[in-house]
Amino acid sequence: MKPQRREFLQTLAAGAAVLGLPGTGFGQPGPPITKLADAITLISGVGNNIVALKSDSGYLLVDCGDALHGQAILGLAVGKVSTVFNTHWHPESTGGNDAMAAAGAKLISHVSTQLWMTQEIIHDWADWGNKPGWEKKVYAPRAKAALPTETFYTTGKMTFGGEPIEYGLLQNAHTDGDIFVHFMNANVLVVGDAVQPGRFPYLDYQTGGWIGGMQTAQRTILARTNDATKIVPAVGPVMTKAEVQAGLDLLTKVREELVKLMKQGKGAQDMIDAQAMKQFEGQLTGDPAQFLFTAYRGMWAHVRELGGIV
C-alpha cells in the first residue's frame, strides 16, 4: 500500500466520533487531536493546524488542511461542516477547500486570499543563484469550486453555535491576505502563519508578505489577548501571549539587523555570504540563506517606509 494512502486510511480510522469526545490522547491512529475548550478542538498533522468549533448544526473550521486530508477531515466531523475560514491562500491551509465545498460548506477568506487563488503564482527562488533545495514551484489557479464564496476587507463578526467570533486582516504579514479568527468566549485566537514559532519566518514576498507586516500582525495579536488566551499558529503547538511576545522581540532584532545591513548597501547575497543570521543560531530553525533572500525582497517593497536606504 502506498504510504500516502495508508496515512489517509489511518486518519479516517480515527473515527467520526473523535471530534465529539472530550479530552485528548484518544490512542487511535490518525492526526493528533487536542481539546482547546468545551466545543473547540485542534487537529494537527494535516497540512496546517485546523481548529474546529462544534455546534448542534455542524462544524465551523479555521483552515481545512491540505488536499490529501480533505476527505479525512470530513470523516472526523460528527455532522456537517458548514463554514470554513481560510487564514491565507497557501495549499497547506486551503487544499481541503474542494472537499469542503463539495460537502456544502461556505468558504470565507480575506478578499486578497480569494484573488490569489484565481492566479498562477510562480515561486522561482531556486533560480536565483541556482540554490539547491530552495522552492521552485508553479501554483496553478484553483478550481472555481475551491474559491472562497464570502470575503471581507478589514474585520467581521458572527456567532456560531452560540460562540461570538471576531475575525480580521493581519495585513502584509506572511502574505497580504492573512487573517485571525478569535473565539471570544472560549478565548481561543487562531492566527495562521502570521506567527511562526521558533523558525525563520516564511515571508511570501511575491504575494505581499514582509517582516514589517509580520511584526505589525503580531502586535495586533498581542493587543487582542490576555495571559489565558490560547493562540494557535498554522504550524506548531498552542502558544501563550508571553511566547508570542518573546517571538516578536526576536523578530524585531532580526529586522533591526537586516535594516542595518541594507543601510550599509548590502544586498541579499552579501548578507548570505556574511552569514548575517549566525547570531540567531539555536534560537531560530530553518534555512537562514533562503530567509535572507525572501526577507530582503519583501523589505525592498517597503524601502521608503524603512527610510535611509534610498
Side-chain angles (χ1 to χ4, degrees), residues 20-34:
L21 292 175
T24 62
F26 301 106
Q28 299 154 321
I33 296 173
T34 306

Side-chain angles (χ1 to χ4, degrees), residues 210-213 215 255-256 258-260 262-263 271 295-310:
W210 85 291
I211 193 169
Q215 287 177 288
R255 174 183 165 163
E256 289 171 351
L258 294 176
V259 172
K260 180 186 74 175
M262 288 182 73
K263 288 183 176 180
M271 296 180 191
Y296 178 81
R297 276 152 179 75
M299 291 173 76
W300 264 108
H302 298 267
V303 67
R304 296 190 182 279
E305 180 179 341
L306 296 173
I309 297 173
V310 295

